Amino acid sequence: MVKNLISNKLKNKKNFSSKLNKKILSLLGFIVVLIFGTFIVNIVLNNQGLSDDKYTVLKLKKNINKINAKGEAKSEDSINVYSNVNIPIKEVRIKLGDKVKANDILAILDTSKLEDQIKELEASIVTSNTANQAALENANSVYNNALVLSNDDKNQDIKNAEIALNEAKRDFENKKSIYDKYKQLHESDSISDQELKTYEISYENAEDFYEKSKVTLDNIKSKVQQDMVTARTTYETAKAKAEDNSQNIILENLKKDLNNAEIKAPVDGIISAKNASVGNQGSGILFEIMNPNNITVNVDVKEVDIEKIKVGQKAEIKSDSTGGKIIEGGVVRVGEIAKTEDNNKLDLSNDSNDKEAKYEVKLKINDPTIKLKIGMKAQADIIIDEKEEVYTAPVESLIKDKDDKDCIYVAEEQGKDYIVKEISITKGTETDVDSEIFGQDLKDNMIVLNSPSDYELGSKVRIKDK
């Protein structure tokens, strides 16, 4: 039994080794075929030669560095039309896109309730004025009478009180004199205590009446002054009420609102926004009017390019309305704030949700006779800079040499063949497509290989049709 187990193990081991050898042989065969196939393809390609999309022929030319952007035509002049009256709209006479002239009626407000308010207020003012005038005349009469009575010589109550006071004073002084006389007699025992007491009581009563007469006169005078102050206050209040113009001001404002019930265009232009509709309140911005004669082309520029844009740079504008014709213009304003703020946090490991901000750039058309309509779509090439007599090559044709310096691979003609050679260069202004290149070894008609990593230095290549 042990022999059988050992025999089975040896047999399985041989099978495994046999399968492994077959896999290795298959893999080696695939590699040989791949190498041979690549060799055959290279031979075929070399025999056919490189097509013109595989290389670039250097030519000194004018290099224009530009940024392409899209946008639309907009008016630089726009005016918002408001209503000064917050009442419902009765009629709207225009629609979006209509041309209007200054003073054209755009909408009419419903003034029925306003007219009722004016009538009610006018009637109220007449009633109030009549009542206020009567109250003023009465208050004026009372006040004038109080002024007269405040004069001691003309106030009979004061005069009577003064007469009574003078009489009380004389009576008091007379009885005081008698009392003093009998007081001396009493001291000499000429009269009895009872007799002196009688004169003393008479004197004290006269004194008390005299003091009360003084208080009475003071009270009368005080009341006269108080009545005069009250009458003056009442008169001034009545006068202020009669002269109060607040209701008339309200009436004037209501009549102004009535005159403003027709919403008119302040300027000539095109209705570019319409928020007014029948039945809604006439408040806020009802219309926007744009000037069609002051048009700019507003384009959106990515944040990566916005720092390159400057006021005064040239622009070449195209629109569907003008076909392929290039409209010359220039940058007149560069936006400082992004049109759409990116609220997503930038995740450097995953930028799938990151949205690049865009800035608005305004372009002015040089030729005033060229008319673009508001809202027309347009695209523009903004000229960043222009250089005369420079070489340019595709960005993918630039490579680093062993010293990590910029270079290109060229196909240099040697007899009937072309040899791959390395040329040191310096990069200039670069776009997504091309780069300016400078170098003392560069020359016209030099053939630059567009994909240098596909070639080995010193190898031979064929150029199709050459």
Side-chain angles (χ1 to χ4, degrees):
M1 187 173 178
V2 174
K3 287 182 180 181
N4 290 334
L5 289 173
I6 294 172
S7 175
N8 288 334
K9 284 184 179 179
L10 290 173
K11 192 179 294 183
N12 290 336
K13 190 174 181 181
K14 286 180 181 179
N15 291 335
F16 175 76
S17 298
S18 176
K19 288 180 181 178
L20 182 62
N21 290 335
K22 286 180 180 180
K23 285 183 179 180
I24 293 172
L25 289 173
S26 297
L27 181 61
L28 289 174
F30 175 75
I31 293 172
V32 169
V33 169
L34 181 63
I35 293 172
F36 182 74
T38 302
F39 176 73
I40 295 297
V41 168
N42 285 335
I43 291 175
V44 171
L45 289 175
N46 286 334
N47 288 334
Q48 289 181 346
L50 298 178
S51 59
D52 55 9
D53 63 330
K54 300 293 184 181
Y55 62 87
T56 300
V57 179
L58 289 185
K59 293 285 184 183
L60 282 174
K61 62 180 181 179
K62 183 176 184 178
N63 186 40
I64 301 175
N65 184 16
K66 56 190 177 182
I67 291 174
N68 182 265
K70 295 180 179 180
E72 64 180 89
K74 292 185 179 180
S75 173
E76 272 295 275
D77 296 334
S78 65
I79 292 179
N80 293 326
V81 181
Y82 299 84
S83 169
N84 297 322
V85 190
N86 190 20
I87 58 177
I89 297 170
K90 180 181 180 182
E91 180 184 354
V92 179
R93 293 192 174 181
I94 53 87
K95 60 183 181 298
L96 196 65
D98 281 356
K99 290 183 179 180
V100 294
K101 295 286 186 182
N103 293 318
D104 281 356
I105 296 175
L106 308 179
I108 298 176
L109 304 180
D110 185 351
T111 60
S112 55
K113 290 184 179 180
L114 184 60
E115 290 169 3
D116 290 342
Q117 282 182 281
I118 291 173
K119 288 177 182 178
E120 289 174 6
L121 187 55
E122 284 176 335
S124 175
I125 289 173
V126 170
T127 303
S128 296
N129 286 347
T130 302
N132 291 340
Q133 191 60 37
L136 177 61
E137 290 175 359
N138 181 62
N140 186 45
S141 175
V142 172
Y143 178 46
N144 288 335
N145 186 55
L147 284 174
V148 172
L149 293 176
S150 67
N151 189 328
D152 293 354
D153 294 336
K154 294 182 179 180
N155 190 312
Q156 191 60 45
D157 289 340
I158 293 175
K159 288 169 74 174
N160 291 339
E162 286 176 341
I163 291 171
L165 178 62
N166 290 333
E167 288 177 354
K169 182 180 180 183
R170 283 194 299 269
D171 184 55
F172 164 67
E173 289 173 346
N174 181 46
K175 289 181 177 178
K176 183 178 186 299
S177 177
I178 293 172
Y179 171 68
D180 289 341
K181 178 181 176 182
Y182 281 98
K183 187 177 180 182
Q184 290 176 355
L185 290 174
H186 179 265
E187 289 174 355
S188 62
D189 295 329
S190 299
I191 62 172
S192 65
D193 291 343
Q194 184 63 37
E195 288 177 308
L196 180 61
K197 187 64 176 177
T198 300
Y199 289 111
E200 183 181 4
I201 292 171
S202 177
Y203 154 68
E204 288 176 348
N205 287 339
E207 183 182 28
D208 183 57
F209 185 71
Y210 172 56
E211 292 297 329
K212 286 181 178 179
S213 296
K214 287 196 291 185
V215 171
T216 298
L217 178 60
D218 288 341
N219 287 342
I220 291 172
K221 286 185 176 180
S222 176
K223 184 177 183 303
V224 167
Q225 292 300 316
Q226 185 60 44
D227 289 346
M228 186 191 68
V229 171
T230 302
R232 182 175 61 198
T233 302
T234 303
Y235 166 71
E236 289 174 349
T237 301
K239 184 182 178 184
K241 198 170 182 180
E243 293 175 349
D244 181 12
N245 201 34
S246 58
Q247 281 193 309
N248 288 311
I249 292 172
I250 294 172
L251 180 61
E252 267 182 44
N253 289 333
L254 289 176
K255 287 182 176 180
K256 283 181 182 177
D257 288 347
L258 191 62
N259 292 331
N260 290 329
E262 290 184 343
I263 310 300
K264 297 180 179 180
V267 295
D268 296 354
I270 295 174
I271 301 296
S272 54
K274 171 181 162 290
N275 300 317
S277 57
V278 174
N280 287 350
Q281 292 295 108
S283 59
I285 301 173
L286 299 182
F287 305 97
E288 181 187 57
I289 299 177
M290 285 189 172
N291 180 2
N293 297 317
N294 187 12
I295 299 296
T296 58
V297 175
N298 298 0
V299 296
D300 294 337
V301 176
K302 296 177 182 178
E303 60 180 294
V304 69
D305 294 323
I306 193 63
E307 291 301 325
K308 303 173 187 176
I309 309 295
K310 308 294 179 188
V311 172
Q313 289 173 336
K314 296 178 183 178
E316 296 177 344
I317 304 165
K318 291 181 180 179
S319 170
D320 289 342
S321 65
T322 57
K325 180 182 177 182
I326 293 177
I327 306 169
E328 293 185 353
V331 177
V332 293
R333 191 182 307 161
V334 180
E336 295 294 333
I337 301 175
K339 288 183 64 178
T340 303
E341 185 178 350
D342 179 14
N343 293 319
N344 297 319
K345 291 184 179 179
L346 178 61
D347 183 356
L348 295 179
S349 63
N350 179 14
D351 62 359
S352 59
N353 292 323
D354 186 56
K355 186 177 180 181
E356 188 175 20
K358 293 181 180 180
Y359 293 79
E360 186 175 72
V361 174
K362 292 184 181 293
L363 309 175
K364 190 74 174 177
I365 295 171
N366 295 341
D367 186 352
T369 63
I370 297 175
K371 300 293 184 182
L372 292 180
K373 293 185 180 295
I374 296 169
M376 280 187 172
K377 302 303 179 184
Q379 62 177 337
D381 288 325
I382 302 173
I383 311 302
I384 304 304
D385 57 45
E386 298 179 77
K387 292 180 182 176
E388 302 287 346
E389 300 290 305
V390 293
Y391 290 120
T392 62
V395 171
E396 64 267 21
S397 68
L398 276 60
I399 197 171
K400 297 288 186 179
D401 63 13
K402 62 182 180 179
D403 296 322
D404 200 34
K405 292 181 180 179
D406 293 316
C407 67
I408 56 173
Y409 283 6
V410 299
E412 189 176 82
E413 188 174 10
Q414 289 187 2
K416 293 183 179 180
D417 297 321
Y418 287 85
I419 306 299
V420 177
K421 183 179 178 183
E422 180 183 274
I423 301 290
S424 296
I425 56 97
T426 301
K427 287 195 297 184
T429 303
E430 190 173 74
T431 68
D432 293 340
V433 179
D434 296 315
S435 175
E436 294 174 350
I437 57 173
F438 304 93
Q440 60 182 5
D441 296 327
L442 299 178
K443 58 185 178 180
D444 278 356
N445 299 316
M446 180 173 278
I447 298 174
V448 178
L449 300 173
N450 291 347
S451 301
S453 58
D454 292 343
Y455 308 94
E456 290 186 11
L457 290 176
S459 63
K460 293 181 180 180
V461 293
R462 289 176 60 85
I463 307 298
K464 191 175 182 180
D465 301 327
K466 286 187 179 289

